[in-house]
Coordinates of all heavy atoms in Angstrom, one line a residue:
M201 N 191.7 114.1 118.5 CA 192.2 114.3 117.2 C 193.6 113.6 117.1 O 194.4 113.7 118.0 CB 192.4 115.8 116.9 CG 193.2 116.1 115.7 SD 193.5 117.8 115.5 CE 191.9 118.4 115.1
K202 N 193.8 112.9 116.0 CA 195.1 112.3 115.8 C 196.0 113.0 114.8 O 195.5 113.2 113.7 CB 194.9 110.8 115.4 CG 194.9 109.8 116.5 CD 195.3 108.5 115.9 CE 196.0 107.6 116.9 NZ 195.2 106.6 117.5
V203 N 197.2 113.3 115.2 CA 198.1 114.0 114.2 C 199.3 113.1 114.1 O 200.0 112.8 115.1 CB 198.4 115.4 114.7 CG1 199.4 116.1 113.7 CG2 197.2 116.3 114.9
K204 N 199.6 112.7 112.8 CA 200.8 112.0 112.6 C 201.8 112.8 111.8 O 201.5 113.3 110.7 CB 200.5 110.7 111.8 CG 199.6 109.7 112.5 CD 199.3 108.5 111.6 CE 198.3 107.6 112.4 NZ 197.8 106.6 111.5
V205 N 203.0 112.9 112.4 CA 204.0 113.7 111.7 C 205.1 112.8 111.2 O 205.6 111.9 112.0 CB 204.6 114.7 112.7 CG1 205.7 115.5 112.0 CG2 203.6 115.7 113.3
C206 N 205.3 112.8 109.9 CA 206.4 111.9 109.4 C 207.8 112.4 109.7 O 208.1 113.6 109.5 CB 206.2 111.9 107.8 SG 207.4 110.8 107.1
V207 N 208.5 111.5 110.3 CA 209.9 111.9 110.6 C 210.9 111.0 109.9 O 212.0 110.7 110.3 CB 210.2 111.9 112.2 CG1 209.4 113.0 112.9 CG2 209.8 110.5 112.8
G208 N 210.4 110.5 108.7 CA 211.3 109.8 107.8 C 212.4 110.8 107.3 O 212.2 112.0 107.4
S209 N 213.4 110.2 106.5 CA 214.5 111.1 106.1 C 214.0 112.3 105.2 O 214.4 113.4 105.4 CB 215.6 110.4 105.6 OG 215.1 109.4 104.6
N210 N 213.2 111.9 104.2 CA 212.7 113.0 103.3 C 212.0 114.1 104.0 O 212.3 115.3 103.8 CB 211.8 112.5 102.3 CG 212.5 111.7 101.2 OD1 213.6 112.1 100.8 ND2 211.9 110.6 100.8
C211 N 211.1 113.7 104.9 CA 210.3 114.8 105.6 C 211.2 115.5 106.6 O 211.0 116.7 106.8 CB 209.1 114.1 106.2 SG 207.9 113.5 105.0
T212 N 212.1 114.8 107.3 CA 212.9 115.5 108.3 C 213.8 116.5 107.6 O 213.9 117.6 108.1 CB 213.8 114.5 109.0 OG1 212.9 113.5 109.6 CG2 214.6 115.1 110.2
L213 N 214.3 116.2 106.5 CA 215.2 117.1 105.7 C 214.4 118.4 105.4 O 215.0 119.5 105.3 CB 215.6 116.5 104.4 CG 216.9 115.7 104.5 CD1 217.2 115.0 103.1 CD2 218.1 116.6 104.8
L214 N 213.1 118.3 105.2 CA 212.4 119.4 104.8 C 211.6 120.0 106.0 O 210.6 120.8 105.8 CB 211.5 119.1 103.6 CG 212.3 118.9 102.4 CD1 211.5 118.1 101.3 CD2 212.7 120.2 101.8
G215 N 212.0 119.7 107.2 CA 211.5 120.5 108.3 C 210.4 119.9 109.2 O 209.8 120.6 110.0
S216 N 210.2 118.5 109.1 CA 209.1 118.0 110.0 C 209.4 118.1 111.5 O 208.5 118.2 112.3 CB 208.8 116.6 109.6 OG 209.8 115.7 109.8
M217 N 210.7 118.1 111.9 CA 211.0 118.2 113.3 C 210.5 119.6 113.8 O 210.0 119.6 115.0 CB 212.5 118.1 113.6 CG 213.0 116.7 113.4 SD 211.9 115.5 114.2 CE 213.0 114.3 114.6
N218 N 210.6 120.6 113.0 CA 210.2 121.9 113.4 C 208.6 121.9 113.6 O 208.1 122.5 114.6 CB 210.6 122.9 112.3 CG 210.3 124.3 112.7 OD1 210.4 124.6 113.9 ND2 210.0 125.1 111.8
I219 N 208.0 121.2 112.7 CA 206.5 121.1 112.8 C 206.1 120.4 114.1 O 205.2 120.8 114.8 CB 205.9 120.4 111.6 CG1 206.2 121.2 110.3 CG2 204.4 120.1 111.8 CD1 205.8 120.5 109.0
L220 N 206.9 119.3 114.4 CA 206.6 118.6 115.7 C 206.7 119.5 116.9 O 205.9 119.5 117.8 CB 207.6 117.4 115.7 CG 207.3 116.1 116.4 CD1 205.9 115.6 115.9 CD2 208.4 115.1 116.1
D221 N 207.8 120.3 116.9 CA 208.0 121.2 118.0 C 206.9 122.2 118.1 O 206.4 122.5 119.2 CB 209.3 122.1 117.8 CG 210.5 121.3 118.1 OD1 210.4 120.2 118.7 OD2 211.6 121.8 117.8
Q222 N 206.4 122.7 117.0 CA 205.4 123.7 117.0 C 204.1 123.1 117.5 O 203.3 123.8 118.2 CB 205.1 124.2 115.5 CG 206.3 124.9 114.9 CD 206.4 126.4 115.3 OE1 205.4 127.0 115.3 NE2 207.6 126.9 115.5
I223 N 203.8 121.9 117.2 CA 202.6 121.2 117.7 C 202.7 121.1 119.2 O 201.7 121.3 119.9 CB 202.3 119.8 117.0 CG1 202.2 120.0 115.5 CG2 201.1 119.2 117.6 CD1 202.0 118.7 114.8
D224 N 203.9 120.8 119.7 CA 204.0 120.8 121.2 C 203.7 122.1 121.8 O 203.0 122.2 122.8 CB 205.5 120.4 121.5 CG 205.6 119.0 122.0 OD1 204.5 118.3 122.1 OD2 206.7 118.5 122.2
D225 N 204.2 123.2 121.2 CA 203.9 124.5 121.7 C 202.4 124.8 121.6 O 201.8 125.4 122.5 CB 204.6 125.6 120.9 CG 206.1 125.6 121.1 OD1 206.6 124.9 122.1 OD2 206.9 126.2 120.3
L226 N 201.8 124.3 120.5 CA 200.4 124.6 120.4 C 199.6 123.9 121.4 O 198.6 124.4 121.9 CB 199.9 124.1 119.0 CG 198.5 124.3 118.6 CD1 198.1 125.8 118.6 CD2 198.1 123.7 117.3
K227 N 200.0 122.7 121.8 CA 199.4 121.9 122.9 C 199.3 122.8 124.2 O 198.3 122.8 124.9 CB 200.1 120.7 123.2 CG 199.7 119.5 122.4 CD 200.5 118.3 122.9 CE 199.9 117.0 122.5 NZ 200.7 115.8 123.0
D228 N 200.4 123.5 124.5 CA 200.5 124.3 125.7 C 199.5 125.5 125.5 O 198.8 125.8 126.5 CB 201.9 124.9 125.9 CG 202.9 123.8 126.3 OD1 202.4 122.7 126.7 OD2 204.1 124.0 126.1
I229 N 199.5 126.0 124.3 CA 198.6 127.2 124.1 C 197.1 126.8 124.3 O 196.4 127.4 125.0 CB 198.8 127.8 122.7 CG1 200.2 128.4 122.6 CG2 197.7 128.8 122.3 CD1 200.6 128.7 121.2
I230 N 196.8 125.6 123.8 CA 195.4 125.1 123.9 C 195.1 124.8 125.4 O 194.0 125.1 125.9 CB 195.2 123.8 123.1 CG1 195.3 124.2 121.6 CG2 193.9 123.1 123.4 CD1 195.2 123.0 120.6
R231 N 196.1 124.3 126.1 CA 195.8 123.9 127.5 C 195.6 125.2 128.3 O 194.7 125.3 129.2 CB 197.1 123.2 128.1 CG 196.7 122.3 129.2 CD 197.9 121.4 129.6 NE 198.4 120.6 128.6 CZ 199.7 120.5 128.2 NH1 200.6 121.2 128.7 NH2 200.0 119.7 127.2
E232 N 196.3 126.3 128.0 CA 196.1 127.5 128.7 C 194.8 128.3 128.4 O 194.4 129.1 129.1 CB 197.3 128.5 128.5 CG 198.5 128.1 129.3 CD 199.8 128.6 128.8 OE1 199.8 129.7 128.1 OE2 200.9 128.1 129.1
D233 N 194.3 127.9 127.2 CA 193.1 128.6 126.7 C 192.0 127.6 126.5 O 191.2 127.7 125.6 CB 193.5 129.4 125.4 CG 192.4 130.3 124.9 OD1 191.6 130.7 125.7 OD2 192.4 130.6 123.7
A234 N 191.9 126.7 127.4 CA 191.0 125.5 127.3 C 189.6 125.9 127.0 O 188.9 125.1 126.3 CB 191.1 124.6 128.5
D235 N 189.1 127.0 127.5 CA 187.7 127.4 127.3 C 187.3 127.5 125.9 O 186.2 127.4 125.5 CB 187.4 128.7 128.0 CG 187.4 128.5 129.5 OD1 187.4 127.3 130.0 OD2 187.3 129.5 130.2
N236 N 188.3 127.9 125.1 CA 188.0 128.2 123.7 C 188.2 127.0 122.7 O 188.1 127.1 121.5 CB 188.8 129.4 123.2 CG 188.3 130.7 123.8 OD1 187.1 130.9 123.8 ND2 189.2 131.5 124.2
Y237 N 188.6 125.9 123.3 CA 188.9 124.7 122.5 C 188.1 123.5 123.0 O 187.7 123.4 124.1 CB 190.4 124.4 122.6 CG 191.2 125.4 121.9 CD1 191.7 126.5 122.5 CD2 191.5 125.2 120.5 CE1 192.5 127.4 121.9 CE2 192.3 126.2 119.8 CZ 192.8 127.3 120.5 OH 193.5 128.2 119.9
S238 N 187.8 122.6 122.0 CA 187.0 121.4 122.4 C 187.9 120.6 123.3 O 189.1 120.7 123.4 CB 186.6 120.7 121.2 OG 187.6 119.7 120.8
D239 N 187.2 119.7 124.0 CA 187.9 118.8 125.0 C 188.6 117.7 124.3 O 189.3 116.9 125.0 CB 186.9 118.2 126.0 CG 186.3 119.3 126.9 OD1 186.9 120.3 127.0 OD2 185.2 119.1 127.3
E240 N 188.4 117.5 123.0 CA 189.0 116.4 122.3 C 190.5 116.5 122.5 O 191.2 117.5 122.4 CB 188.7 116.6 120.8 CG 188.9 115.3 120.0 CD 188.7 115.6 118.5 OE1 188.0 116.6 118.2 OE2 189.2 114.8 117.7
E241 N 191.1 115.3 122.8 CA 192.5 115.3 123.0 C 193.3 115.4 121.7 O 192.9 114.8 120.7 CB 192.9 114.0 123.7 CG 194.1 114.1 124.6 CD 194.7 112.8 125.0 OE1 193.9 111.9 125.2 OE2 196.0 112.7 125.0
L242 N 194.4 116.1 121.8 CA 195.3 116.2 120.6 C 196.4 115.2 120.8 O 197.4 115.4 121.6 CB 195.8 117.6 120.6 CG 196.9 118.0 119.5 CD1 196.4 117.6 118.1 CD2 197.2 119.5 119.6
E243 N 196.3 114.1 120.0 CA 197.3 113.0 120.1 C 198.3 113.2 119.0 O 197.9 113.3 117.8 CB 196.7 111.7 119.9 CG 196.1 111.0 121.1 CD 195.4 109.7 120.7 OE1 196.2 108.8 120.3 OE2 194.2 109.6 120.8
V244 N 199.6 113.2 119.3 CA 200.6 113.5 118.3 C 201.5 112.2 118.2 O 202.0 111.8 119.2 CB 201.4 114.7 118.6 CG1 202.4 115.0 117.4 CG2 200.5 115.9 118.8
E245 N 201.7 111.8 117.0 CA 202.6 110.6 116.8 C 203.6 111.0 115.8 O 203.3 111.5 114.8 CB 201.7 109.5 116.3 CG 201.9 108.2 117.0 CD 201.0 107.1 116.3 OE1 199.8 107.4 116.0 OE2 201.5 106.1 116.0
A246 N 204.9 110.6 116.1 CA 205.9 110.8 115.1 C 206.2 109.4 114.4 O 206.4 108.4 115.1 CB 207.2 111.3 115.8
I247 N 206.1 109.4 113.1 CA 206.2 108.1 112.4 C 207.3 108.2 111.4 O 207.4 109.1 110.6 CB 204.8 107.8 111.7 CG1 203.8 107.6 112.8 CG2 204.9 106.6 110.9 CD1 202.5 107.1 112.4
K248 N 208.1 107.1 111.3 CA 209.2 107.0 110.4 C 208.6 106.7 109.0 O 208.2 105.5 108.8 CB 210.2 105.9 110.8 CG 211.1 106.4 111.9 CD 212.6 106.2 111.4 CE 213.5 107.1 112.3 NZ 213.9 106.4 113.5
C249 N 208.6 107.6 108.1 CA 208.1 107.5 106.8 C 206.7 106.9 106.7 O 206.4 105.7 106.9 CB 209.0 106.7 105.8 SG 208.5 106.9 104.1
L250 N 205.8 107.8 106.4 CA 204.4 107.4 106.2 C 204.1 106.7 104.8 O 203.0 106.3 104.5 CB 203.5 108.6 106.3 CG 203.4 109.2 107.7 CD1 202.9 110.7 107.6 CD2 202.4 108.4 108.6
G251 N 205.1 106.7 104.0 CA 205.1 106.0 102.7 C 204.7 106.8 101.5 O 204.8 106.4 100.4
F252 N 204.2 108.0 101.8 CA 203.7 108.9 100.6 C 204.9 109.2 99.7 O 204.7 109.2 98.5 CB 203.1 110.2 101.1 CG 201.8 110.0 101.9 CD1 201.8 110.0 103.3 CD2 200.6 109.7 101.2 CE1 200.6 109.8 103.9 CE2 199.4 109.6 101.9 CZ 199.4 109.6 103.2
C253 N 206.0 109.5 100.2 CA 207.2 109.9 99.4 C 207.6 108.8 98.4 O 208.2 109.1 97.4 CB 208.3 110.3 100.3 SG 209.1 109.0 101.2
K254 N 207.3 107.5 98.8 CA 207.7 106.4 97.9 C 206.7 106.2 96.8 O 206.9 105.5 95.8 CB 207.9 105.2 98.8 CG 208.9 105.4 99.8 CD 209.5 104.1 100.3 CE 210.8 104.2 101.1 NZ 210.6 104.8 102.4
K255 N 205.5 106.7 97.0 CA 204.4 106.5 96.0 C 204.5 107.5 94.8 O 203.7 107.3 93.9 CB 203.1 106.6 96.7 CG 202.8 105.4 97.5 CD 201.3 105.4 98.0 CE 201.2 104.6 99.3 NZ 200.2 105.2 100.2
T256 N 205.2 108.5 94.9 CA 205.2 109.5 93.9 C 206.6 110.1 93.7 O 207.5 110.0 94.6 CB 204.3 110.7 94.3 OG1 204.4 111.7 93.3 CG2 204.6 111.3 95.6
K257 N 206.9 110.6 92.5 CA 208.2 111.2 92.2 C 208.1 112.7 92.6 O 209.1 113.4 92.6 CB 208.5 111.0 90.8 CG 209.0 109.6 90.4 CD 209.8 109.6 89.2 CE 210.4 108.2 88.8 NZ 210.0 107.1 89.5
E258 N 206.9 113.1 92.8 CA 206.8 114.6 93.1 C 207.2 114.8 94.5 O 207.3 113.9 95.3 CB 205.3 115.0 93.0 CG 205.0 115.3 91.5 CD 203.6 115.5 91.2 OE1 203.0 116.2 92.0 OE2 203.1 115.0 90.2
N259 N 207.6 116.1 94.7 CA 208.1 116.4 96.1 C 206.9 116.7 97.0 O 206.3 117.8 96.9 CB 209.0 117.6 95.9 CG 209.9 117.8 97.2 OD1 209.7 117.0 98.1 ND2 210.8 118.7 97.2
V260 N 206.6 115.8 97.9 CA 205.4 115.9 98.7 C 205.8 116.2 100.2 O 204.9 116.5 101.0 CB 204.5 114.7 98.6 CG1 203.8 114.7 97.3 CG2 205.2 113.4 98.9
A261 N 207.1 116.0 100.5 CA 207.5 116.1 101.9 C 207.6 117.6 102.3 O 207.8 118.5 101.5 CB 208.9 115.5 102.0
P262 N 207.4 117.9 103.6 CA 207.0 117.0 104.7 C 205.5 116.7 104.7 O 204.8 117.5 104.2 CB 207.5 117.8 105.9 CG 207.5 119.2 105.5 CD 207.7 119.3 104.0
I263 N 205.2 115.6 105.3 CA 203.8 115.2 105.3 C 203.3 115.1 106.8 O 204.0 114.5 107.6 CB 203.6 113.9 104.5 CG1 203.9 114.1 103.1 CG2 202.2 113.4 104.7 CD1 204.2 112.9 102.3
V264 N 202.2 115.6 107.0 CA 201.5 115.5 108.3 C 200.1 115.0 108.0 O 199.4 115.5 107.1 CB 201.5 116.9 109.0 CG1 200.7 116.7 110.3 CG2 202.9 117.4 109.3
V265 N 199.6 114.0 108.8 CA 198.3 113.6 108.6 C 197.4 114.0 109.8 O 197.7 113.7 110.9 CB 198.2 112.0 108.4 CG1 196.8 111.5 108.2 CG2 199.1 111.6 107.2
V266 N 196.4 114.8 109.5 CA 195.5 115.2 110.6 C 194.2 114.5 110.4 O 193.5 114.6 109.4 CB 195.3 116.7 110.5 CG1 194.3 117.2 111.6 CG2 196.6 117.5 110.6
D267 N 193.8 113.6 111.4 CA 192.6 112.8 111.3 C 192.5 112.2 109.9 O 191.4 112.4 109.3 CB 191.4 113.7 111.6 CG 191.2 113.9 113.1 OD1 191.8 113.1 113.9 OD2 190.5 114.8 113.5
K268 N 193.4 111.5 109.5 CA 193.4 110.7 108.2 C 193.5 111.6 107.0 O 193.6 111.1 105.9 CB 192.2 109.8 108.1 CG 192.1 108.8 109.2 CD 191.1 107.8 108.9 CE 191.2 106.7 110.0 NZ 189.9 106.2 110.4
E269 N 193.6 112.9 107.2 CA 193.7 113.7 106.0 C 195.1 114.2 105.8 O 195.7 114.9 106.6 CB 192.8 115.0 106.2 CG 192.6 115.8 105.0 CD 191.8 117.1 105.3 OE1 190.9 117.0 106.2 OE2 192.2 118.1 104.7
P270 N 195.8 113.7 104.7 CA 197.2 114.1 104.6 C 197.4 115.5 104.1 O 196.7 116.0 103.3 CB 197.7 113.1 103.5 CG 196.6 112.6 102.9 CD 195.3 112.8 103.7
I271 N 198.4 116.2 104.7 CA 198.8 117.5 104.2 C 200.1 117.4 103.6 O 201.1 117.0 104.3 CB 198.8 118.5 105.4 CG1 197.5 118.6 106.2 CG2 199.2 119.9 104.9 CD1 197.6 119.4 107.4
F272 N 200.2 117.6 102.3 CA 201.5 117.5 101.6 C 202.2 118.8 101.7 O 201.6 119.9 101.7 CB 201.3 117.1 100.1 CG 200.6 115.8 100.0 CD1 199.3 115.7 99.5 CD2 201.2 114.6 100.5 CE1 198.7 114.4 99.4 CE2 200.5 113.4 100.4 CZ 199.3 113.3 99.9
N273 N 203.5 118.8 101.5 CA 204.4 120.0 101.6 C 203.9 120.8 102.9 O 203.7 122.0 102.8 CB 204.2 120.8 100.4 CG 204.6 120.1 99.1 OD1 203.8 119.9 98.2 ND2 205.8 119.6 99.1
A274 N 203.7 120.1 104.0 CA 203.2 120.8 105.2 C 204.2 121.8 105.7 O 205.4 121.7 105.6 CB 203.0 119.7 106.2
T275 N 203.6 122.9 106.2 CA 204.5 123.9 106.9 C 203.8 124.0 108.3 O 202.7 123.6 108.5 CB 204.4 125.3 106.2 OG1 203.0 125.7 106.3 CG2 204.8 125.2 104.8
S276 N 204.6 124.6 109.2 CA 204.1 124.8 110.6 C 202.7 125.5 110.5 O 201.8 125.1 111.1 CB 205.0 125.6 111.4 OG 206.2 125.0 111.5
Q277 N 202.7 126.5 109.6 CA 201.5 127.3 109.5 C 200.3 126.5 109.0 O 199.2 126.6 109.6 CB 201.8 128.5 108.6 CG 200.6 129.5 108.7 CD 200.9 130.8 108.0 OE1 202.1 131.0 107.6 NE2 200.0 131.6 108.0
T278 N 200.4 125.7 108.0 CA 199.3 125.0 107.4 C 198.8 124.0 108.5 O 197.6 123.8 108.6 CB 199.6 124.3 106.1 OG1 200.7 123.5 106.2 CG2 199.7 125.3 105.0
V279 N 199.8 123.3 109.1 CA 199.4 122.3 110.1 C 198.7 123.0 111.3 O 197.6 122.5 111.8 CB 200.6 121.5 110.6 CG1 200.3 120.6 111.7 CG2 201.2 120.7 109.4
M280 N 199.2 124.1 111.8 CA 198.6 124.7 113.0 C 197.2 125.2 112.6 O 196.3 125.0 113.4 CB 199.4 126.0 113.4 CG 200.8 125.8 113.9 SD 200.9 124.6 115.2 CE 201.9 123.4 114.3
E281 N 197.1 125.8 111.4 CA 195.8 126.3 111.0 C 194.7 125.1 111.0 O 193.6 125.3 111.5 CB 195.8 126.9 109.6 CG 196.0 128.4 109.6 CD 196.2 128.9 108.3 OE1 195.7 128.4 107.3 OE2 197.0 129.9 108.2
K282 N 195.1 124.0 110.5 CA 194.2 122.9 110.4 C 193.8 122.4 111.8 O 192.6 122.2 112.0 CB 195.0 121.8 109.6 CG 194.2 120.5 109.4 CD 193.1 120.7 108.5 CE 193.1 120.0 107.2 NZ 192.2 120.5 106.2
I283 N 194.8 122.3 112.6 CA 194.5 121.8 114.0 C 193.6 122.8 114.7 O 192.6 122.4 115.3 CB 195.8 121.6 114.8 CG1 196.6 120.4 114.1 CG2 195.5 121.2 116.2 CD1 197.9 120.2 114.7
V284 N 194.0 124.1 114.7 CA 193.2 125.1 115.4 C 191.8 125.2 114.9 O 190.8 125.2 115.6 CB 193.9 126.5 115.3 CG1 193.0 127.6 115.8 CG2 195.2 126.4 116.2
N285 N 191.6 125.2 113.5 CA 190.3 125.2 113.0 C 189.4 124.1 113.4 O 188.2 124.2 113.6 CB 190.3 125.2 111.4 CG 190.8 126.6 110.9 OD1 190.7 127.6 111.7 ND2 191.2 126.6 109.7
K286 N 190.0 122.9 113.6 CA 189.2 121.7 114.0 C 188.9 121.7 115.5 O 187.9 121.2 115.9 CB 190.0 120.5 113.6 CG 189.9 120.2 112.1 CD 190.5 118.8 111.9 CE 189.8 118.2 110.7 NZ 189.7 116.8 110.7
L287 N 189.8 122.3 116.3 CA 189.6 122.2 117.7 C 189.0 123.4 118.4 O 188.5 123.3 119.5 CB 191.0 121.9 118.4 CG 191.6 120.5 118.3 CD1 192.8 120.4 119.1 CD2 190.6 119.5 118.7
R288 N 189.0 124.5 117.6 CA 188.4 125.7 118.2 C 186.9 125.7 118.3 O 186.2 125.2 117.4 CB 188.8 126.9 117.3 CG 189.2 128.1 118.2 CD 189.4 129.4 117.5 NE 189.6 130.3 118.5 CZ 190.8 130.8 118.8 NH1 191.9 130.4 118.1 NH2 191.0 131.7 119.8
K289 N 186.4 126.1 119.4 CA 184.9 126.1 119.6 C 184.2 127.1 118.8 O 184.8 128.2 118.6 CB 184.6 126.3 121.1 CG 184.7 125.1 121.9 CD 184.3 125.4 123.3 CE 184.6 124.2 124.2 NZ 184.5 124.6 125.7
Ligands
FES1121 S1 209.8 110.3 104.6 FE1 207.9 111.2 105.0 S2 206.6 110.1 103.8 FE2 208.4 109.2 103.5

């Protein structure tokens, strides 16, 4: 699974660094509870501005893309839920 977290200025201001930290913690949780999760690797990439904020005037930050599916106004909770639902056996 590929997770891209935007760390451009708009998204960072609205908390994307915190989301990045939480995903790191989630990686540890998954490692410790490996039996309940698929073997698929959780790849996390921090990217400087994914470009979404420039395409709209609406407030969409922070943005996290999970397997090509963008989550707008992402929170740690929505991102964690998405990842866990996809990786849980
Ligand atoms: S700063 Fe995150 S999409 Fe532009």
Side-chain angles (χ1 to χ4, degrees):
M201 170 186 288
K202 261 208 155 101
V203 178
K204 293 180 187 167
V205 180
C206 181
V207 292
S209 47
N210 284 321
C211 292
T212 305
L213 270 174
L214 289 161
S216 63
M217 287 314 209
N218 187 33
I219 297 174
L220 211 47
D221 282 351
Q222 300 271 324
I223 297 175
D224 254 357
D225 291 348
L226 182 64
K227 272 184 160 180
D228 292 339
I229 292 168
I230 290 175
R231 210 172 297 128
E232 280 162 23
D233 189 20
D235 288 351
N236 289 316
Y237 289 90
S238 89
D239 295 334
E240 198 186 338
E241 206 196 324
L242 175 54
E243 275 179 66
V244 186
E245 227 182 313
I247 295 187
K248 279 236 162 87
C249 192
L250 289 162
F252 293 101
C253 66
K254 300 200 163 75
K255 287 188 200 144
T256 174
K257 286 199 173 13
E258 279 172 43
N259 198 357
V260 289
I263 294 162
V264 176
V265 179
V266 178
D267 280 344
K268 297 191 176 144
E269 191 187 323
I271 303 173
F272 300 114
N273 303 121
T275 62
S276 301
Q277 189 168 354
T278 52
V279 173
M280 296 308 116
E281 263 174 33
K282 180 67 114 197
I283 296 174
V284 167
N285 285 340
K286 284 188 149 210
L287 287 183
R288 221 189 175 103
K289 277 184 187 166

